[in-house]
Amino acid sequence: MENQILSIRGMTCAACAQRIERTVRKLSGIGQASVNLASEKLFVEYDTATLALPAIKEAVYKIGYEVVEKSNSANVTIPIGGMTCAACAQRIEKAIRKLDGVTGVSVNFATENAAVVYEPKKVRVSVMKDVIEKAGYQPLEITGSDFVDEDRARKQKEIRGLWTKFAVSAAFSLPLLYIAMAPMLTWIQLPFPAGLAPMKYPLLYALLELLLVIPVVGVGYRFYTVGFKALIQRSPNMDSLIAIGTTAAVLYSIWNTWQICIGNFGAVESLYFETAGVIITLILLGKSLEALSKGRTSEAIKKLMGLAPKTAIVFQAGAEKEIPIGDVQIGDIVVVKPGAKIPVDGTVLEGYTAIDESMLTGESMPVDKKAGDPVYAASLNTTGTIRFRADKIGSDTALAQIIKLVEDAQGSKAPIAQMADIVSAYFVPIVCVIALLTGAAWFIGMRDVEFALTIFISVLVIACPCALGLATPTAIMVGTGKGAENGIFIKSGEALETAHKISTIVFDKTGTITEGKPTVTDVLAVKGILPDKLLQITASAEKNSEHPLGQAILTEAQDKDLELLKVDFFNSVTGYGIEAHVNGQTILAGNRKFMDENNVSLINFEGNSDRLAEEGKTPMYVAIDGHLAGIIAVADVLKASSKAAIENLHKMGIEVAMITGDHKKTATAIARQVGIDRVLAEVLPHDKVGEVKKLQGEGRKVAMVGDGINDAPALVQADIGIAIGSGTDVAMESADIVLMRSDLMDVSTAINLSKKTIRNIKQNLFWAFGYNVIGIPVAAGVLYLFGGPLLNPIFAAAAMSLSSVSVLTNALRLKRFKAIRQ
């Protein structure tokens, strides 16, 4: 099975999304198909042996929508100087086309530009420029940004187009509304031209209204082309409701204009041109505001995309050269100076600096970097100049992976969205039936065509399911985007929803609650030996050891600038310790059994040894020439945030468990320090899954937090898998949520974000459902039956537009969410 994300153009409401989903799911070989209205993406899983991608695109196209597929090719426009005729353009075109990796080229003599389609992995823009120069022409600097996000540019163009349409529509519909209403509002006595008085010059009055409504209908043509096409294919959507309602108003008004023409002047009182015009204008206003709000929901993606620099300085042929970011290749030596951004992922070769990686981790403190350390695209170099080797470029960089992760999450559906999807699928056809029945009922009861038409149009217009379709995806887009800003990457809408139900969190101990590396915590020496002297002698003996405890002691001595002594002999005794000759003295360092075998008495240090063990520390005994010299305790120390993070989870009513392969006594000591409720000790890696299953068997919703390869199966088994970002790629791939900062406080933040997002979704759904439950009966004339007001179609259009905007505005409140910090 293969997964694809396709961009869809032309959707206007939840019914459109449902229609595309139903069509694609009917195709043979489809495993899953999900459409997100807010992000305009189709997420499809299909069997390549049974179904080809073009067939999916064709199916979507046939029902009236456009599929835009991502391409591996890049486009660049190179301005060229020195051309004098069309033959020059042909010459340059041929020269560029010969390059391996160029798939298309067009040189325009009039604009003096070369538009090139090429594969960045095969050819660089700099090579194209060299070819142009060799042909005798001058390649100029590329103006503008050729790396601007296409989707952002498209949406901005769409917003501009909608505002233009609204402006045109308003320019004609406002005078239309005035002309229609002024003669009726006699008690206000609004100024009105005597030559247009409807009772004296009815035909002129009707024709003027008709002329004014034509441009409004023209700018709203899409409602009709899409709406009637969907209706013909028996999949009506929001556009269908608007198209039917306004068409009925316009056609009825044209019929009455004809009646005036043949002498029935009373028909001038039955013109509804202004209703159609104002409805289209108000809906275009709503769509413009909606597009603006939808654009803001994806700001997290835009911010991430805008982080990467446009150029890079590479070291080529003994000199520094600035090239476009798309021209950097794996293995290039990249130079980054203070204040500049890292262009691609790589490994530092020379130099020392501090880099602000907050765009990845959410952590504001810069991270020190030296030779051998990794650097990531879009992070900011703050102090020194470095040279690094480019290891990952383009879509392989950490930034690109994060953008994809956030895009996938924003495009996915939460289980709570299924209810809205089911309702939306049946909603529009039901509304059409309700509108017809209520219109017919009022006509039969009152024998008044105008009244029945008003009811019919009002029901159609007020019942748009836009708010319903936007309720869930917009909140998920803002929620996952806000998480990304804080270094918390939630991979799907389902994970975001499930996280708020968690009742038990299981933490792996090593590398999650603890730092994951042993550190010297205590140096206890016998009388007559200084602690630093004991540490110096032991570190010298451990210099040739590869054991983690020995390396911890060596690191501690180096941190204290203790000079290592000469070692004449070294022997490692597996499972016990080491023996070495240091400055003519015999040194033994190891566990209790090692001391017992070498007849070293521990009687004076028994109490200290037990106390250290109870604190979760590993005591290493050191003997000099057969006599105990002291104890050096080593422990995998707690992370600074562990205790506070667990206290936070307790405040949220969540039980906390710890799982480890350590001895129960050591595990219990660690648990006691941080306040863990349940200890699962001496658990082998392959048994972690079983422990998670046991907790789930108790009816608990379980989250597993880990960082190692051996945590991956448990992360998958848990209801929510949370990986620490500093952990392995396997753990991160297996998890539902990734914490880039390796700070356990972010576990609380992720769960809190889930709770706030789900609450927001429920609010959106409540208002979207509530709006339709109240709006449709009012539009159908229920209040009028009991002496109340009748809903004018114009107010119905305004209410419908505002419902979508209110749902989007409510979702945007999540932008105020604040992460929990220590």
Side-chain angles (χ1 to χ4, degrees):
M1 299 293 277
E2 185 171 321
N3 293 295
Q4 282 283 350
I5 302 173
L6 302 175
S7 295
I8 306 292
R9 305 287 180 266
M11 292 190 293
T12 55
C13 67
C16 297
Q18 279 291 312
R19 188 177 171 207
I20 294 167
E21 280 184 5
R22 284 200 306 270
T23 302
V24 174
R25 283 173 184 164
K26 286 177 185 175
L27 298 174
S28 177
I30 289 288
Q32 190 178 355
S34 174
V35 176
N36 185 308
L37 173 63
S39 63
E40 299 179 310
K41 294 282 195 322
L42 164 62
F43 296 77
V44 64
E45 181 184 51
Y46 64 101
D47 185 355
T48 51
T50 311
L51 185 65
L53 187 61
I56 300 172
K57 292 171 70 177
E58 181 65 21
V60 174
Y61 177 76
K62 279 182 179 176
I63 58 172
Y65 304 94
E66 183 187 354
V67 179
V68 181
E69 188 182 351
K70 287 185 179 178
S71 171
N72 291 325
S73 297
N75 297 279
V76 66
T77 301
I78 306 172
I80 300 170
M83 290 192 291
T84 57
C85 65
C88 298
Q90 286 291 319
R91 186 178 174 193
I92 296 167
E93 207 170 275
K94 285 178 183 177
I96 296 174
R97 190 172 278 118
K98 287 177 183 176
L99 293 171
D100 182 32
V102 171
T103 54
V105 59
S106 174
V107 179
N108 189 315
F109 170 59
T111 60
E112 297 184 312
N113 282 330
V116 188
V117 182
Y118 68 105
E119 295 177 39
K121 291 183 179 178
K122 290 185 178 180
V123 65
R124 296 186 178 208
V125 175
S126 56
V127 175
M128 298 176 208
K129 287 184 175 181
D130 289 342
V131 165
I132 294 168
E133 208 160 351
K134 283 175 184 173
Y137 303 93
Q138 185 185 2
L140 305 174
E141 283 302 311
I142 298 171
T143 55
S145 174
D146 291 294
F147 305 95
V148 172
D149 172 35
E150 289 178 14
D151 191 55
R152 186 199 307 187
R154 180 190 62 78
K155 285 185 176 177
Q156 287 175 344
K157 185 179 177 183
E158 179 189 340
I159 291 168
R160 284 195 302 271
L162 281 168
W163 280 118
T164 302
K165 286 180 179 179
F166 166 69
V168 171
S169 182
F172 287 94
S173 62
L174 287 175
L176 173 61
L177 181 64
Y178 187 87
I179 289 168
M181 302 303 293
M184 296 166 58
L185 303 174
T186 52
W187 66 92
I188 301 177
Q189 292 187 340
L190 293 170
F192 195 80
L196 286 177
M199 292 303 155
K200 290 184 179 179
Y201 308 101
L203 184 58
L204 181 62
Y205 180 82
L207 289 173
L208 179 61
E209 284 198 5
L210 176 59
L211 287 171
L212 285 170
V213 85
I214 287 171
V216 181
V217 172
V219 294
Y221 75 94
R222 186 171 174 77
F223 295 127
Y224 303 98
T225 55
V226 175
F228 284 121
K229 187 174 184 179
L231 196 63
I232 291 164
Q233 294 177 342
R234 292 182 296 178
S235 298
N237 59 9
M238 181 210 82
D239 292 330
S240 304
L241 300 179
I242 296 164
I244 295 168
T246 56
T247 300
V250 170
L251 290 179
Y252 182 67
S253 300
I254 290 172
W255 164 256
N256 282 309
T257 302
W258 169 249
Q259 289 294 307
I260 295 169
C261 287
I262 61 174
N264 181 11
F265 297 151
V268 75
E269 296 180 2
S270 300
L271 298 177
Y272 276 82
F273 288 122
E274 84 284 354
T275 299
V278 175
I279 284 173
I280 290 171
T281 302
L282 287 171
I283 289 166
L284 284 171
L285 173 61
K287 284 286 169 193
S288 302
L289 294 171
E290 188 181 304
L292 272 176
S293 300
K294 279 165 72 177
R296 288 186 63 201
T297 61
S298 58
E299 273 179 7
I301 290 276
K302 291 176 185 176
K303 282 179 185 175
L304 288 169
M305 287 178 166
L307 287 172
K310 303 292 183 277
T311 60
I313 298 173
V314 297
F315 195 73
Q316 290 179 347
E320 292 180 5
K321 184 179 179 182
E322 189 170 358
I323 62 172
I325 187 76
D327 234 13
V328 177
Q329 293 186 351
I330 292 172
D332 281 352
I333 306 302
V334 183
V335 181
V336 184
K337 295 174 182 177
K341 286 183 177 180
I342 307 294
V344 294
D345 291 4
T347 305
V348 178
L349 300 176
E350 292 177 33
Y352 181 85
T353 189
I355 291 181
D356 178 0
E357 294 182 345
S358 58
M359 41 66 67
L360 275 176
T361 64
E363 183 59 66
S364 58
M365 288 297 291
V367 181
D368 290 337
K369 299 287 182 178
K370 59 184 184 304
D373 289 339
V375 290
Y376 302 101
S379 54
L380 181 66
N381 184 22
T382 61
T383 53
T385 298
I386 57 169
R387 284 187 185 182
F388 72 90
R389 180 185 65 247
D391 295 334
K392 292 180 180 178
I393 59 174
S395 61
D396 294 328
T397 64
L399 177 66
Q401 294 297 316
I402 286 168
I403 289 170
K404 186 177 185 303
L405 196 94
V406 178
E407 274 186 329
D408 289 352
Q410 291 189 341
S412 64
K413 286 189 177 179
I416 197 171
Q418 291 173 359
M419 175 177 60
D421 286 348
I422 292 166
V423 172
S424 296
Y426 297 101
F427 190 76
V428 177
I430 289 171
V431 167
C432 289
V433 172
I434 292 172
L436 282 168
L437 291 176
T438 52
W442 281 107
F443 176 72
I444 292 166
M446 297 185 68
R447 295 293 170 182
D448 186 336
V449 175
E450 288 87 353
F451 190 89
L453 186 65
T454 299
I455 296 287
F456 175 72
I457 295 170
S458 295
V459 172
L460 286 176
V461 171
I462 204 167
C464 167
C466 281
L468 203 58
L470 292 167
T472 303
T474 48
I476 287 175
M477 287 176 79
V478 178
T480 51
K482 198 66 191 173
E485 283 178 26
N486 290 285
I488 299 165
F489 296 101
I490 301 164
K491 290 187 176 180
S492 67
E494 186 175 359
L496 186 65
E497 179 174 343
T498 307
H500 87 285
K501 300 175 185 174
I502 294 300
S503 56
T504 299
I505 293 184
V506 181
F507 286 96
D508 175 54
K509 181 182 82 71
T510 308
T512 304
I513 291 176
T514 65
E515 291 288 354
K517 58 181 181 182
T519 305
V520 172
T521 58
D522 302 84
V523 180
L524 306 176
V526 298
K527 194 173 181 181
I529 300 178
L530 293 172
D532 277 1
K533 185 65 177 176
L534 178 65
L535 184 62
Q536 181 188 36
I537 292 169
T538 310
S540 301
E542 293 280 6
K543 185 167 56 178
N544 296 315
S545 171
E546 293 181 358
H547 195 280
L549 299 185
Q551 290 298 307
I553 291 168
L554 185 62
T555 300
E556 180 71 9
Q558 289 170 340
D559 289 345
K560 289 192 169 186
D561 292 326
L562 300 176
E563 185 182 350
L564 298 182
L565 306 173
K566 185 182 177 184
V567 179
D568 299 317
F569 169 80
F570 175 83
N571 180 44
S572 175
V573 184
T574 305
Y576 289 90
I578 62 152
E579 179 184 358
H581 294 169
V582 180
N583 274 7
Q585 294 177 304
T586 300
I587 309 298
L588 299 176
N591 56 25
R592 182 189 291 266
K593 286 182 181 178
F594 194 43
M595 296 297 120
D596 289 344
E597 284 200 3
N598 286 279
N599 299 315
V600 176
S601 174
L602 306 177
I603 194 162
N604 293 327
F605 270 74
E606 290 277 357
N608 287 327
S609 173
D610 292 341
R611 176 180 59 80
L612 292 168
E614 284 173 7
E615 291 173 1
K617 299 169 183 175
T618 302
M620 178 182 281
Y621 301 92
V622 182
I624 301 175
D625 292 334
H627 298 285
L628 184 67
I631 295 176
I632 297 177
V634 177
D636 183 4
V637 296
L638 292 169
K639 285 183 177 176
S641 62
S642 293
K643 188 173 182 180
I646 288 162
E647 284 174 0
N648 255 316
L649 292 170
H650 282 148
K651 286 176 188 174
M652 295 167 80
I654 296 171
E655 181 194 40
V656 182
M658 182 179 76
I659 194 164
T660 178
D662 279 357
H663 189 274
K664 191 164 187 177
K665 195 172 184 180
T666 305
T668 304
I670 295 286
R672 191 166 50 246
Q673 289 178 55
V674 293
I676 280 170
D677 306 305
R678 190 186 296 209
V679 178
L680 308 170
E682 299 174 28
V683 179
L684 296 173
H686 59 270
D687 291 332
K688 287 183 179 181
V689 172
E691 293 295 335
V692 171
K693 281 183 179 177
K694 282 181 191 174
L695 290 169
Q696 289 171 324
E698 296 173 16
R700 298 176 178 276
K701 284 283 183 185
V702 180
M704 170 74 192
V705 184
D707 74 328
I709 290 173
N710 57 27
D711 296 324
L715 290 170
V716 173
Q717 175 60 41
D719 296 286
I720 289 289
I722 302 175
I724 300 295
S726 59
T728 65
D729 289 341
V730 175
M732 291 171 72
E733 282 293 323
S734 307
D736 303 293
I737 298 173
V738 179
L739 311 179
M740 295 302 291
R741 294 193 324 132
S742 301
D743 185 342
L744 295 192
M745 293 296 287
D746 286 344
V747 175
S748 304
T749 298
I751 292 171
N752 195 35
L753 178 61
S754 168
K755 287 182 175 181
K756 292 281 175 68
T757 306
I758 295 305
R759 186 187 304 156
N760 192 279
I761 289 171
K762 287 177 178 176
Q763 289 167 354
N764 285 348
L765 288 172
F766 172 79
W767 288 114
F769 278 123
Y771 161 80
N772 284 300
V773 167
I774 295 167
I776 292 174
V778 172
V782 171
L783 293 181
Y784 187 80
L785 275 174
F786 299 98
L790 184 67
L791 185 67
N792 188 292
I794 291 171
F795 294 113
M800 183 274 285
S801 295
L802 287 172
S803 70
S804 297
V805 175
S806 65
V807 163
L808 284 158
T809 306
N810 187 50
L812 289 170
R813 287 193 310 112
L814 282 169
K815 283 183 169 288
R816 299 203 296 260
F817 175 83
K818 296 242 187 293
I820 299 170
R821 293 285 182 253
Q822 197 171 354

